[in-house]
Amino acid sequence: DIQLTQSPSFLSASVGDRVTITCRASQGISSYLAWYQQKPGKAPKLLIYAASTLQSGVPSRFSGSGSGTEFTLTISSLQPEDFATYYCQQLNSYPTWTFGQGTKVEIK
Amino acid sequence: EVQLVESGGGLVQPGGSLRLSCAASGFTFSSYDMHWVRQATGKGLEWVSAIGTAGDTYYPGSVKGRFTISRENAKNSLYLQMNSLRAGDTAVYYCARFRFAFDIWGQGTMVTVSS
């Protein structure tokens, strides 16, 4: 099974900061990676798929990059509504897809 | 409006059974692969099952043989039959539509396995 490891697990940042979250796969997954945002008590929301394609309606301050085993999610200027937990998901091993353990972004 | 609404969660004793439902609206349900994902309180996301448009089904080892995913396209509905439930199955269960990734999610339904 493909394992995903996110880092950091927790980060504290201020409004306006540039934030980067990394997701590493235990084996190559090409660009078959998605990123989700989840706020407390809510369902996850798709932000990015195919490693770098922004889902419709998602603000352009979110971007994704990477391929193979290393991927990043970047928030260019953190906004108050961005404080949440972020998950990566590999979509390479159809259809048994796994998630990373999550990265919680909190207010500094 | 594209929407998924889960129902059927509740409290069940260990070893018991429960059937979850997911009602889809606003899109052509039969054209999409559908999934169930769960999340224990304070924990991460765990993929639970998938069903393709042709009715092919898939499960991780943790639920294989105990859970059964099914769909009824005429009713725009997805189901998850859960048998031999364990305390470790306690979680919020979400249904999700697959389009490049899980692009639409329901609000979730809570399943608690406890005596």
Side-chain angles (χ1 to χ4, degrees):
Chain A
D1 288 3
I2 298 174
Q3 310 298 322
L4 297 178
T5 303
Q6 291 182 230
S7 60
S9 295
F10 172 88
L11 75 86
S12 182
S14 301
V15 172
D17 283 354
R18 182 182 181 88
V19 168
T20 299
I21 299 168
T22 298
C23 179
R24 289 187 174 87
S26 58
Q27 63 190 76
I29 57 171
S30 185
S31 295
Y32 295 106
L33 190 101
W35 289 97
Y36 300 86
Q37 176 194 67
Q38 188 180 32
K39 296 182 180 180
K42 300 293 186 182
K45 173 187 173 184
L46 177 64
L47 298 176
I48 287 168
Y49 61 91
S52 61
T53 302
L54 202 64
Q55 172 71 351
S56 176
V58 174
S60 58
R61 63 181 179 272
F62 291 92
S63 64
S65 65
S67 67
T69 61
E70 186 154 335
F71 302 84
T72 59
L73 171 70
T74 300
I75 309 172
S76 60
S77 177
L78 199 65
Q79 298 302 300
E81 60 268 30
D82 300 336
F83 292 96
T85 300
Y86 293 85
Y87 294 93
C88 59
Q89 180 197 29
Q90 65 84 14
L91 299 156
N92 183 72
S93 57
Y94 177 90
T96 57
W97 298 318
T98 49
F99 294 89
Q101 83 279 11
T103 296
K104 188 173 184 179
V105 177
E106 288 201 342
I107 301 172
K108 188 180 243 182
Chain B
E1 179 191 5
V2 175
Q3 195 174 11
L4 296 170
V5 179
E6 300 95 337
S7 60
L11 175 64
V12 60
Q13 292 189 340
S17 298
L18 209 56
R19 189 196 197 206
L20 306 184
S21 299
C22 171
S25 59
F27 65 98
T28 305
F29 177 74
S30 60
S31 297
Y32 293 87
D33 294 354
M34 296 295 296
H35 295 250
W36 288 96
V37 176
R38 69 184 179 184
Q39 185 173 39
T41 302
K43 302 297 184 183
L45 301 167
E46 180 187 13
W47 171 74
V48 170
S49 60
I51 186 165
T53 56
D56 45 317
T57 59
Y58 307 87
Y59 308 91
S62 57
V63 308
K64 196 168 188 177
R66 300 189 299 124
F67 289 12
T68 302
I69 188 173
S70 62
R71 66 191 302 162
E72 192 167 356
N73 291 335
K75 292 187 175 181
N76 293 326
S77 292
L78 177 73
Y79 305 101
L80 185 67
Q81 177 67 43
M82 303 185 294
N83 298 330
S84 303
L85 283 162
R86 309 164 178 166
D89 296 319
T90 295
V92 174
Y93 285 72
Y94 297 100
C95 60
R97 183 182 85 169
F98 177 76
R99 181 179 179 272
F100 304 118
F102 293 177
D103 70 328
I104 304 295
W105 296 66
Q107 84 289 351
T109 187
M110 183 70 203
V111 172
T112 303
V113 184
S114 175
S115 55

